[in-house]
Amino acid sequence: MIFKSKIKWVAVFVLVLSFASLLRHLSIARFSTVDLVQYSALTAFHNDFNSLSGRQSVPNKKLWGPVKPLQSLQPYANPRSNYPVPNDQSNGFIYAKIFGGFEKIRSTICDLVTISRLLNATLVIPDIQESTRSKGISSRFKSFTYLYDEVQFIASLKNDIVIVKSLPDNLKAARKRNEFPSFRPKMSASPNFYIKEVLPKLRKTKVIGLIIADGGCLQSILPPNMAEFQRLRCRVAFHALQFRPEIQMLGHKMVERLRAWGQPFLAYHPGLVRETLAYHGCAELFQDVHTELIQYRRKQMIKKGIVHEELSIDSHLRRENGSCPLMPEEVGILLRSMGYPPKTIIYLAGSETFGGQRVLVPLRAMFPNLVDRTSLCSNKELSDILGPETPLPQNPFQRPPAKSKEQLKEEWKKAGPRPRPLPPPPGRPIYQHEKEGWYGWITETDTEPDLSALDLRMQAHRLIWDALDYIVSVEADTFFPGFNNDGSGWPDFSSLVMGHRLYEVASSRTYRPDRKVAAELFNMTRDNIYHPKHNWTLSVQEHLKKSLSEEGLIRQSVLSKPALFISHPLPECSCRISSADALVRVKGNDGRTVYGGEEECPKWMKHGDEVPLDSAGEEGKVEDNELSEYGSTLDEQPESNDSDRTNATLVSEQDEEMDPND
């Protein structure tokens, strides 16, 4: 009895202490004036990532290091021969209107400058129609300045052509009355077209206009005696065309925030654009209403004569032919097979990804640290770069007009043979998500409505978003294109980025996968899967490694250069630092040198900007842990920069590097 009474008193004592402790904590929580600290996922990522090793890691050279065979290539777009300054007595003014998105605008401006030099004409700053058509955008920017730095553009090309901001006052009124002749040149127009047809009218009227909607107005490959004009294209694309300061500052800030995480990052552009998918007949890669949207756009292209094929086409055959983009889940499998771990930071570029976030779900599952501009920038930063804009109506949707009784009777008569179908059920309420975009018209009408004010505003905004993505993609440690050089001749985002990276740092890791080979790899079933020397993963690694080196560069040049010169500005815009390796010259289908014909760099480049080349013997060495993500560590801790951190959600996994051979 005595023992039981002691246990009873101990239990009572414990209950009293627990109750007192609870009262104490409640009083502290009620009367405390301490502010709560807001949780930041980005800060948590920093702490978690640093806690994995305790020290900053050095990236594995096999995944992030430079491509050694291309280290001797250096950017060199300076004139090589006697290149006189522009003639004071020009033949007249050239003004232009450019239709299209970011890619078409950039490539067209390069052609316009080249044509102005060819015709000895004064170039008027061209009008970017994507910004002038949009109503209510910021009045601080006018057309060209909405995207590019006008002062830098004029100053950089002062030794090449004369550029003015606008026509003289005595010619502006005549232009508004359409008194000057205008041309709609084709994308592949030859220099003879401008010399024989455009130049005589330019000399006669002193002013001509060019309306360009195909993403270019001059053929890509010029005769060998016009090599200086090709270098002029490079000077325009890679030096003169600088984004306006606000875009550059935010773009470089995004790169700094990516670098602050203490590891390299990969930029990936899906290339899933509706026009591209419709042109190549890739509708069946999607489902439901997305397939209908692609087919509708393809039908429009057939009517306009852009596509000369049937409306319905086997998309799977096109995919096997390499005409369709790689789907995001396929890119994720390729990167994992190459050895990139799940915690790799991937920057998603591109203002348009057809199919929305649903098509990105598999890639996010494989690489949780998939970020974009909205992850790196606050809403205020993105709105500030657009400037003050006139607000638009919140709900621009308008229901189709109600049908009259006569129309309903006529439809009933034309409904087909009896028995007639039952009348439709009573109308249900239309939800908000069905009023926006294609939800509002695809089930109601047979034709796509004209662009609304909101659509035009979004097209102008996409120019800014693509500019930010362009800066990040060029500066990325690695770039992977989901689609490039589509064969239509239109410029595409990935091709521009790949050409810029090839010009600035040719040895940067830029994958150039052959989509036809990739489709064959994905279609494999059991061939050589379990052979230790020829399994599927090693086949993927072999193909991607070849795409990084000279072999992939040469294959890509044969495809890309005839369509867009600035996507492969070799050998005209590069020079080569002499090395002990034997130089391999490769010629294209037209007999011109596409690789190996670079001149030797001048002495001032050798002494000033020479890139140290690694010894040839190191290329063949195999590290003990070749596919490990990090080879060694440093004792320095990464500096934190709390002011630049945003609310991006990143996931850090404590996983060891995947060994593809396991």
Side-chain angles (χ1 to χ4, degrees):
M1 294 293 296
I2 299 175
F3 180 74
K4 291 183 178 180
S5 62
K6 289 184 178 180
I7 295 178
K8 182 178 179 180
W9 283 109
V10 170
V12 171
F13 180 73
V14 171
L15 288 175
V16 172
L17 286 179
S18 300
F19 184 73
S21 176
L22 179 62
L23 292 178
R24 176 63 176 172
H25 283 83
L26 289 176
S27 62
I28 293 176
R30 181 178 180 181
F31 298 104
S32 176
T33 58
V34 179
D35 295 333
L36 296 177
V37 179
Q38 186 176 3
Y39 173 77
S40 174
L42 191 57
T43 305
F45 172 77
H46 261 288
N47 298 333
D48 293 343
F49 188 80
N50 292 337
S51 64
L52 294 181
S53 61
R55 294 173 293 180
Q56 186 177 4
S57 302
V58 173
N60 179 14
K61 295 181 180 179
K62 296 298 179 181
L63 292 178
W64 304 101
V67 182
K68 296 178 182 178
L70 303 179
Q71 283 185 309
S72 60
L73 290 173
Q74 300 296 311
Y76 187 45
N78 294 359
R80 309 287 201 273
S81 58
N82 185 17
Y83 192 77
V85 296
N87 192 349
D88 295 336
Q89 299 296 327
S90 68
N91 292 323
F93 295 91
I94 295 179
Y95 68 89
K97 294 182 179 180
I98 305 175
F99 292 86
F102 176 85
E103 304 85 6
K104 292 184 177 181
I105 292 171
R106 193 170 184 87
S107 60
T108 299
I109 293 175
C110 298
D111 289 350
L112 284 174
V113 174
T114 307
I115 293 168
S116 300
R117 174 76 186 191
L118 177 66
L119 302 181
N120 189 27
T122 300
L123 178 64
V124 181
I125 292 291
D127 293 331
I128 298 177
Q129 295 301 301
E130 292 296 329
S131 59
T132 56
R133 291 168 60 195
S134 179
K135 305 298 182 183
I137 63 174
S138 179
S139 58
R140 291 191 303 172
F141 316 112
K142 295 181 179 180
S143 188
F144 187 88
T145 57
Y146 187 73
L147 191 59
Y148 292 109
D149 189 340
E150 189 177 76
V151 177
Q152 166 71 17
F153 181 69
I154 297 175
S156 297
L157 298 173
K158 63 180 180 180
N159 294 327
D160 297 294
I161 63 170
V162 177
I163 305 176
V164 294
K165 295 184 178 180
S166 62
L167 285 171
D169 295 336
N170 59 336
L171 299 176
K172 289 182 179 179
R175 176 187 174 181
K176 293 181 179 179
R177 295 191 297 267
N178 296 325
E179 296 182 1
F180 301 124
S182 61
F183 297 85
R184 293 178 179 268
K186 296 181 179 179
M187 180 175 54
S188 58
S190 65
N192 291 332
F193 166 78
Y194 293 97
I195 294 175
K196 294 181 179 180
E197 298 189 27
V198 178
L199 183 58
K201 291 190 176 182
L202 176 63
R203 288 173 173 171
K204 181 179 179 180
T205 61
K206 295 301 179 183
V207 180
I208 63 164
L210 298 178
I211 301 175
I212 308 168
D214 294 331
C217 51
L218 184 64
Q219 66 185 37
S220 175
I221 299 181
L222 299 176
N225 59 350
M226 300 183 68
E228 292 297 345
F229 290 91
Q230 299 289 62
R231 297 187 188 100
L232 175 58
R233 276 173 161 170
C234 293
R235 292 197 291 275
V236 177
F238 308 132
H239 297 280
L241 274 180
Q242 302 290 334
F243 301 112
R244 58 181 166 94
E246 297 90 345
I247 298 177
Q248 289 193 60
M249 289 178 60
L250 184 57
H252 291 300
K253 187 178 293 185
M254 292 165 62
V255 175
E256 292 176 359
R257 290 170 180 172
L258 287 166
R259 301 275 186 220
W261 291 331
Q263 61 168 316
F265 70 95
L266 181 146
Y268 161 58
H269 185 267
L272 296 175
V273 183
R274 185 181 173 192
E275 281 72 17
T276 302
L277 296 167
Y279 181 87
H280 291 287
C282 304
E284 295 176 2
L285 299 181
F286 296 84
Q287 296 177 353
D288 306 328
V289 74
H290 293 90
T291 299
E292 298 182 28
L293 288 168
I294 296 175
Q295 288 297 83
Y296 181 84
R297 183 58 56 86
R298 183 174 175 83
K299 186 177 180 181
Q300 289 180 318
M301 291 182 172
I302 293 175
K303 288 183 178 180
K304 295 180 180 179
I306 300 175
V307 176
H308 304 282
E309 297 175 331
E310 297 180 357
L311 176 62
S312 298
I313 197 167
D314 192 343
S315 300
H316 298 285
L317 291 178
R318 288 301 177 94
R319 173 183 171 273
E320 293 177 0
N321 190 34
S323 299
C324 294
L326 293 172
M327 297 303 287
E329 62 266 23
E330 296 176 334
V331 173
I333 293 172
L334 293 176
L335 293 177
R336 289 291 285 154
S337 301
M338 193 64 185
Y340 290 94
K343 60 186 173 184
T344 301
I345 298 176
I346 298 180
Y347 181 84
L348 181 68
S351 59
E352 177 186 357
T353 300
F354 189 78
Q357 293 295 320
R358 182 171 63 177
V359 300
L360 298 173
V361 169
L363 181 62
R364 290 187 185 275
M366 287 182 273
F367 295 95
N369 294 333
L370 183 67
V371 299
D372 57 10
R373 62 181 177 278
T374 60
S375 306
L376 298 174
C377 304
S378 63
N379 292 333
K380 185 178 185 305
E381 289 176 321
L382 294 176
S383 60
D384 288 346
I385 201 173
L386 299 174
E389 296 183 330
T390 304
L392 294 175
Q394 294 297 326
N395 187 12
F397 172 75
Q398 295 180 357
R399 296 194 61 179
K403 297 179 181 179
S404 62
K405 293 183 178 179
E406 290 75 12
Q407 290 176 332
L408 293 176
K409 289 181 180 180
E410 191 68 23
E411 291 182 1
W412 179 258
K413 292 178 181 179
K414 297 179 180 179
R418 288 176 173 82
R420 299 285 177 85
L422 294 174
R428 61 174 179 80
I430 298 179
Y431 298 100
Q432 180 67 29
H433 73 275
E434 296 177 312
K435 300 179 182 180
E436 301 173 354
W438 45 266
Y439 281 106
W441 67 267
I442 196 167
T443 57
E444 298 291 340
T445 61
D446 295 331
T447 58
E448 186 172 359
D450 296 331
L451 294 177
S452 63
L454 181 61
D455 295 331
L456 294 174
R457 179 76 62 85
M458 289 304 300
Q459 285 188 355
H461 289 177
R462 287 195 184 102
L463 299 179
I464 307 297
W465 310 147
D466 282 333
L468 294 173
D469 293 344
Y470 187 86
I471 294 174
V472 177
S473 299
V474 171
E475 296 291 334
D477 299 282
T478 302
F479 180 75
F480 195 102
F483 188 80
N484 65 295
N485 300 314
D486 57 0
S488 66
W490 300 327
D492 58 272
F493 184 91
S494 293
S495 294
L496 294 179
V497 171
M498 294 165 72
H500 202 144
R501 291 170 63 89
L502 178 61
Y503 173 78
E504 283 197 349
V505 185
S507 60
S508 59
R509 297 184 73 88
T510 303
Y511 288 98
R512 306 172 185 90
D514 188 340
R515 293 189 297 276
K516 184 176 181 180
V517 175
E520 294 176 355
L521 290 172
F522 283 114
N523 290 339
M524 281 185 179
T525 54
R526 300 180 63 86
D527 296 341
N528 298 326
I529 279 186
Y530 300 107
H531 195 284
K533 296 292 185 181
H534 304 285
N535 62 31
W536 188 86
T537 305
L538 292 179
S539 299
V540 172
Q541 293 179 9
E542 181 182 4
H543 173 66
L544 292 181
K545 288 179 180 178
K546 287 182 179 179
S547 72
L548 287 169
S549 60
E550 294 173 303
E551 183 176 342
L553 179 61
I554 293 170
R555 186 197 66 84
Q556 194 65 42
S557 65
V558 176
L559 298 175
S560 62
K561 192 169 183 177
L564 184 64
F565 170 76
I566 56 177
S567 67
H568 185 83
L570 299 181
E572 291 86 350
C573 300
S574 294
C575 63
R576 188 179 293 272
I577 295 176
S578 59
S579 61
D581 299 334
L583 189 61
V584 179
R585 289 179 177 270
V586 179
K587 294 186 177 181
N589 298 329
D590 55 357
R592 293 187 177 90
T593 303
V594 296
Y595 182 78
E598 298 81 15
E599 300 176 1
E600 188 173 349
C601 293
K603 294 182 179 180
W604 60 268
M605 289 188 67
K606 294 180 182 180
H607 295 296
D609 300 331
E610 181 177 359
V611 178
L613 301 180
D614 297 323
S615 59
E618 294 183 359
E619 185 66 25
K621 294 181 180 179
V622 179
E623 297 180 1
D624 295 335
N625 191 12
E626 180 177 347
L627 292 176
S628 64
E629 182 193 6
Y630 305 110
S632 59
T633 57
L634 295 175
D635 293 334
E636 298 180 0
Q637 290 283 352
E639 297 181 0
S640 60
N641 190 1
D642 295 335
S643 61
D644 286 344
R645 294 178 183 174
T646 62
N647 291 328
T649 303
L650 295 178
V651 180
S652 177
E653 301 184 6
Q654 299 186 23
D655 61 334
E656 296 296 332
E657 180 53 50
M658 177 191 68
D659 188 353
N661 297 324
D662 288 345

